């Protein structure tokens, strides 16, 4: 049964019409949604990057990983309570 599915998938992947439809679907549906999501989460990613950087300046993650992790946890706990 598995071999049958693999062969069917291979035939579909080799079909130029299916490939064109998949490319169109990606360009029309997937790519715009991913771009919109990226724009929506960008401020949160920047905030997290800043918090991690600040925590790393307080406790060196290489020399004091436990202190770094504890400081990072405290920072995120404070943000979560807001």
């Amino acid at each position: 049964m598995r071999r049958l599915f693999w062969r069917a998938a291979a035939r579909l992947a080799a079909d130029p019409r299916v490939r064109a439809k998949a490319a169109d679907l990606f360009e029309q549906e997937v790519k715009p949604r991913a771009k919109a999501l990226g724009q929506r989460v960008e401020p949160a990613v920047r905030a997290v990057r800043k918090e991690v950087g600040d925590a790393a300046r307080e406790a060196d993650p290489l020399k004091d990983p436990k202190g770094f992790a504890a400081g990072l946890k405290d920072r995120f706990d404070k943000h979560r309570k807001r």
Side-chain angles (χ1 to χ4, degrees), residues 20-34:
K21 180 66 177 173
D24 184 53
L25 180 69
F26 176 78
E27 289 294 326
Q28 299 297 320
E29 298 290 331
V30 176
K31 195 173 180 179
R33 289 181 186 184

Side-chain angles (χ1 to χ4, degrees), residues 56-69:
R57 280 187 283 285
E58 289 177 5
D60 187 343
L62 297 176
K63 294 179 183 175
D64 184 16
K66 190 174 182 179
F68 170 72

Side-chain angles (χ1 to χ4, degrees), residues 47-48 50-61 64-80:
V48 169
K50 181 186 179 312
E51 291 296 331
V52 171
D54 291 348
R57 280 187 283 285
E58 289 177 5
D60 187 343
D64 184 16
K66 190 174 182 179
F68 170 72
L72 199 56
K73 181 184 179 303
D74 290 343
R75 287 173 174 279
F76 286 111
D77 285 346
K78 287 178 188 175
H79 284 289
R80 196 177 312 156

Side-chain angles (χ1 to χ4, degrees), residues 12-47:
L12 285 173
D15 187 340
R17 292 173 298 169
V18 173
R19 293 176 71 156
K21 180 66 177 173
D24 184 53
L25 180 69
F26 176 78
E27 289 294 326
Q28 299 297 320
E29 298 290 331
V30 176
K31 195 173 180 179
R33 289 181 186 184
K35 189 174 183 177
L37 178 64
Q39 290 172 345
R40 244 184 22 231
V41 301
E42 186 177 352
V45 170
R46 283 189 185 147

